[in-house]
Amino acid sequence: MKNVGMKMAALMAALMMTLSSSAKTHDIGGKVTDVNGHPLAYVNVVLLSLPDSAFVQGAVTNNEGLFNIVTSKNDGLLKISSVGFKTVFFPAGNGLTIQLEEDAEMLGEVVVKAQLPKTKLTGEGLQTNIKGSVLENAGTADDVLAKTPGLIKGPNGLEVMGKGSPLIYINGRKVTDSSELSRLQSNEIQNVEVITNPGAQYDATVRSVVRIRTIRRQGEGFGFNFNASDAQSLKWAEGNDPSAAFNMNYRSGSVDLFGGINYNKNTSRQISELEKITYSKHLIEDYSDLSNKYKGQSIYGNAGVNWQIHDKHFVGGKIEWGTTLAYDVRTKVDDSVKEDGVLTDKLVTISKDKIGKERPYNIGANLYYNGTIGKKMGVDVNFDYYVSKDSKNIHTKESSTLTYDADIRSQSDNSNRLYAAKAVVSYPIWKGQFQVGTEESFSRREDNYAITGIDIPASNAKVNEDIYAGFANYGFQLPKAVHITAGVRYERVHYTYADKLAPKNNLTRNYSNWFPTVSFTSKVGNVQLMVNYSAKTRRPNYSQLSGAIIYDNRYLLQSGNAKLQPELTHIISTTAVWKYLTFLVNYARTNDPIMLWSAPYNDEGVVLVKPYNIDAPFRLLAVYGMLNHTIGVWTMSYTAGIQKQWLTIEMPDPRVISGTRKSKFNDKPLGVIQLNNTFRLDGGWQLELGGLMQTKGYSQNLYMKNVYFDLTAGVQKTLLKDNSLVLRLEGHDLLHQAHADVDSDFGNHTISQTNLLDTQKVKFSIRYTFNAAQSKYRGTGAGRDQRSRM
């Protein structure tokens, strides 16, 4: 590491010498904002010579609205332009602050035409304009993201194509409560950027990011928005999911106060058939019918303040809280067990999960400073605190006609605490922007698990994890629309696990890793092109590190694994955009992949499900194509792709002479097709018809053995002159085919499972907005990955 540090120091010294020895140049730069002082990203800035107005050099503003042009000229005229804003001309200089006004005529024209959302490549990913497109009135942010190019919402939730689940930011602030996406209305969104190659400023576990930028509304005073919805299952009368949210904002001068409250009731039902076969001293076959019903209620709130001390200085704070009002899970499993073909047990297991000793809750707080020091230096500092507690009580009754009955009770309590800080400094150098920063997080978790009625060990464990990170990132613009960004992140992790009841499992680990990232963006003719490389890691969730053995029933146990190692993934991807077509190719190789593994716990047919690091590398190639086009009132957004994986695992199998065999999960790629159709009609009407299909194929060590198909439809009506009232009716999984059946092979144990989920629903929603002014809150947060792992 010392040698690496010396090399980096020498490299920086050589760079500084090179810069100092170059010809004398001048910096022309500043900051572009809207009329409210909010920075505007991706604004085109062109330097023109005088008096002939010839092109000299160009630049694009970064996320802080900053731009810098290094040139031999010390004068000229700047042309500043951006979609939806009036173009302005400004005398060239340094330390400028330039305000752009919205072009009401242009925006009005766009809204009337309701064109397809325009997508372009940025230095990090795909940016799609929502304002003025058919997605402007799609519903909520959830609805917008499901139809945004580069994103797919399927059986695993929202995913970036080929990159998995993303972190989501709204105006630079990390979304920690998923219900916030259902509260944000689509007509409040300016654009959505899908980051397929997150830079060094993000945690090394982050493989994809979605950045939502809202419309900056003018005016002061009080504003609010209210939305309510109710979703009803078409197959289960008890499957009713009402929700409501109220958000307010009060702005006076430089002070901005905001807050909100959200209530949700959620239900789910699962009906499954399982076939579990264990190969040991005896052939044990377990055939199960499972029924699971969940009902829960929760309430969330937030409040905060933002103070704009000066045009260049912002401070603020925010607190978020949530609690579980009700939690009720009821599971029934009917097992028929055979040993060497002879029926040995017929068992009925009924479990009831309730809130335990203490009502679950979580509280989070953020303090931030965001501003510009001097004329060029941007500073962003965040401090975060998060605490949560969860408590569950499970009562299980087992009734057997051939063996014995049992009454089992378990109590699970866990608590989490997080302290985090992050500081980022940015400064224009040469033809680009240099960024350097540090991030630290300190996580503490306690797990207590006790069980009576069966001989399974209790657990009283503590997990401590401290992460120290430093990063640097530099992006610069070259002629002919070439943009290059390169960065590196260093992370040092100190991890300890201690179980008072099982000290033999205690361990301490230290990790030190470098994570580079490189992005190249250019334009070849009419084709926008981007090529990326990055190294990423994935740390196990804290629940996966628990040593407690959770009792599901007499034949099924679950546990974590305190010895799990982080994954390390190398990713190469390329994206091309031509008119209304987008192509994406992504290749990833993961070492020490974490996968769930099922194995015999004893010779009596009991199985333990536990996460492990697989010795073999996991490789995945994803290829996607997207079509986004408008013909008259009809807008189509189509995506088709295929995922091909390479995975070979050596596993124990007593059926072969050697006792082990190699199993390949390679030959059956997974296909995905998503079709979204939108029809914009006169009178504020909008009709929608879409569907997502996923074919059979391998997903890591699981085989998806059925075709998943989710057919959706919707109708929407906007009312009032400003479209502030929106009524929406939508249907999900109309053919009741949105379920995934799986086969899994673990060598000495196999599982085959079919699932029927309660996803066929009809939902009605109403949204009303009054004088809505988006909060100026600029806190971006720290330690967000650690918080999500909790």
Side-chain angles (χ1 to χ4, degrees), residues 716-735:
Q716 181 174 286
K717 171 67 174 176
T718 57
L719 301 169
L720 305 183
K721 289 184 179 181
D722 57 355
N723 295 328
S724 58
L725 180 61
V726 180
L727 306 179
R728 182 177 176 85
L729 179 66
E730 56 193 87
H732 297 271
D733 190 16
L734 298 178
L735 300 181

Side-chain angles (χ1 to χ4, degrees), residues 147 634-638 674-679 686-692 709-715 728 731 734:
K147 300 171 184 177
W634 175 30
T635 294
M636 61 194 83
S637 179
Y638 298 163
Q674 180 172 270
L675 307 176
N676 290 315
N677 301 277
T678 304
F679 302 89
Q686 180 169 300
L687 306 179
E688 301 170 11
L689 180 65
L692 173 69
F709 183 60
D710 183 9
L711 179 66
T712 61
V715 58
R728 182 177 176 85
L734 298 178

